[in-house]
Amino acid sequence: MSPKKQMNRFTLPAIIICCAAQAQAAIPEDIDRAFSSYMQLAKDLAPVLAEAKDKATADAAAEKLNALLPRVYDARNDLQKIERLSPEVQQEVLQQYGKTMQQEWGKVYEQIFRLERAKCYASPSFFKQFRALCMMLQY
């Protein structure tokens, strides 16, 4: 075998491997932004919900929760705009966001269930914002 053919025999697989590595599905920018925003929202919501421990702290947290509701609405809309992901992109999204999303949103839902059991500590102002939050998250 000539040296040129021998070189081609070894470089072709290397080229295929490089191209295959580059062909790994990158998350499109708008989808990445939507999931990143959704993750940050969970990180911002959990401590606000956790602040409500009695009527006074629930009343105080109502304004902070109200300020986060537009972001909840926007994040929900951004996620709803995602119609279908290719299996490759879906795998990338799961790999990049799956575990963290489960953990961070788990903390939010933990607080939601706690506040439901506590009936929002009889705070009408907090309950109003809390109900809006729950309705948006149920989409």
Side-chain angles (χ1 to χ4, degrees):
M1 188 180 294
S2 75
K4 188 173 185 178
K5 283 185 180 179
Q6 193 173 18
M7 187 178 93
N8 286 341
R9 196 175 113 212
F10 293 109
T11 59
L12 189 57
I15 291 170
I16 292 170
I17 291 170
C18 288
C19 290
Q22 290 175 351
Q24 183 179 10
I27 301 172
E29 188 177 327
D30 59 331
I31 293 171
D32 191 46
R33 190 173 36 253
F35 278 96
S36 180
S37 174
Y38 191 64
M39 294 297 302
Q40 187 59 50
L41 179 61
K43 291 176 182 179
D44 295 342
L45 270 171
V48 170
L49 296 174
E51 285 180 24
K53 296 183 188 319
D54 54 32
K55 185 176 181 335
T57 55
D59 287 340
E63 190 173 322
K64 292 177 186 176
L65 182 55
N66 184 51
L68 288 171
L69 291 180
R71 287 181 49 206
V72 175
Y73 181 82
D74 291 342
R76 181 187 80 164
N77 284 343
D78 290 345
L79 290 176
Q80 285 178 334
K81 289 177 189 173
I82 300 171
E83 292 183 19
R84 181 163 248 151
L85 299 176
S86 71
E88 296 82 14
V89 172
Q90 185 175 7
Q91 183 61 36
E92 280 297 309
V93 168
L94 284 172
Q95 185 176 342
Q96 185 168 340
Y97 293 107
K99 185 177 180 180
T100 308
M101 185 178 298
Q102 191 174 28
Q103 291 171 339
E104 295 302 324
W105 279 98
K107 293 173 188 175
V108 170
Y109 280 99
E110 206 174 282
Q111 294 302 319
I112 287 172
F113 298 141
R114 178 184 67 82
L115 290 162
E116 284 176 339
R117 284 190 305 276
K119 300 191 186 332
C120 294
Y121 299 103
S123 168
S125 60
F126 186 82
F127 176 74
K128 180 179 175 183
Q129 307 313 315
F130 180 77
R131 184 176 62 189
L133 170 68
C134 292
M135 287 173 39
M136 282 190 257
L137 292 177
Q138 288 179 356
Y139 68 94

